Amino acid sequence: MTRLSVNINKVATLRNARGGNLPDVERFAADCEWMGAQGITVHPRPDERHIRRSDVYALKQIVTTELNIEGNPEPPFVELVTDIRPAQVTLVPDSHDQLTSNHGWNTVQYVDHLTRLTEVFHKHGIRVSIFVDADPQMVEYARRAGADRVELYTGPYAEMYERDPEAAIDMYRPAAEKARELGLGLNAGHDLNLKNLHPFLNAFPWVDEVSIGHALIADALYLGIEETIKQYLLCCK
């Protein structure tokens, strides 16, 4: 069974829009776990437009499943992660002004850089996942860099799924199978939703974890968060 990690960035975005502490990000994370989520994901960015550094420290004391911290591994991020020591760090090549993640690492070009980072995180007992596009070569070089897992960027999958579901699956098969061949753990995330998630996991049942935020929070506006988590968990079985 694939684990569901709920990305709570959008909850922090809503809080920050008005100031104060409504909704309460910490309480929301704890409730998601109580409702069945098997992990909590945050992606703190330098401008703190959603999750703040202070949130990450607070969540470390609250999350009882797995805390996954995503981000561009610049020095302040590395310092934050090594101080908190989450279960997992996901390395994402975001620029400062990027609205949302839209591509994976060129692991061939940055293999030395990623290797050094992986060694740092491993010294602190942190599992390392590298965010990559659905390219077997990118998966292979993530393994060479010492990653424990790769997270496949599923934005293109979600886009193509609307037009041609079978082609969308086929586009991801070589990378997913390469990860399994290399003994790499496999995560997936970005634009996964209640429509396209189950077919993806049915095709690649060895996916260890999906992290889902935007669609899940949007669904919760209609279904409520408890029912939404229940439905995503059903997709993961």
Side-chain angles (χ1 to χ4, degrees), residues 51-98:
I51 288 292
R52 302 167 180 155
R53 287 177 67 93
S54 59
D55 293 327
V56 185
Y57 279 98
L59 289 166
K60 172 61 177 177
Q61 307 304 316
I62 292 169
V63 173
T64 60
T65 54
E66 286 197 351
L67 179 60
N68 171 43
I69 305 178
E70 300 179 340
N72 189 326
E74 296 180 329
F77 178 86
V78 174
E79 177 188 4
L80 174 69
V81 173
T82 55
D83 194 24
I84 290 176
R85 301 191 183 190
Q88 177 174 272
V89 61
T90 301
L91 308 184
V92 183
D94 279 352
S95 61
H96 286 193
D97 59 351
Q98 202 161 316

Side-chain angles (χ1 to χ4, degrees), residues 110-120 130 141 144-146:
Y110 290 102
V111 64
D112 292 338
H113 177 57
L114 292 168
T115 299
R116 289 191 293 270
L117 288 164
T118 298
E119 289 172 352
V120 169
I130 296 179
Y141 273 78
R144 294 190 187 190

Side-chain angles (χ1 to χ4, degrees), residues 145-208:
D148 304 291
R149 295 184 182 181
V150 288
E151 178 173 330
L152 296 182
Y153 167 53
T154 48
Y157 163 76
E159 183 179 354
M160 183 174 285
Y161 187 88
E162 294 297 319
R163 305 191 304 272
D164 189 338
E166 186 175 345
I169 294 291
D170 288 342
M171 180 171 61
Y172 276 70
R173 191 173 302 282
E177 292 184 346
K178 174 60 72 171
R180 182 169 62 167
E181 173 192 325
L182 295 173
L184 267 175
L186 185 61
N187 295 343
H190 207 86
D191 291 340
L192 295 173
N193 57 41
L194 289 173
K195 181 178 179 181
N196 63 36
L197 176 59
H198 182 69
F200 188 87
L201 298 181
N202 188 54
F204 313 118
W206 58 91
V207 172
D208 293 293

Side-chain angles (χ1 to χ4, degrees), residues 10-22:
K10 285 297 185 293
V11 180
T13 300
L14 182 59
R15 175 201 61 190
N16 295 352
R18 286 287 295 270
N21 195 39
L22 185 67

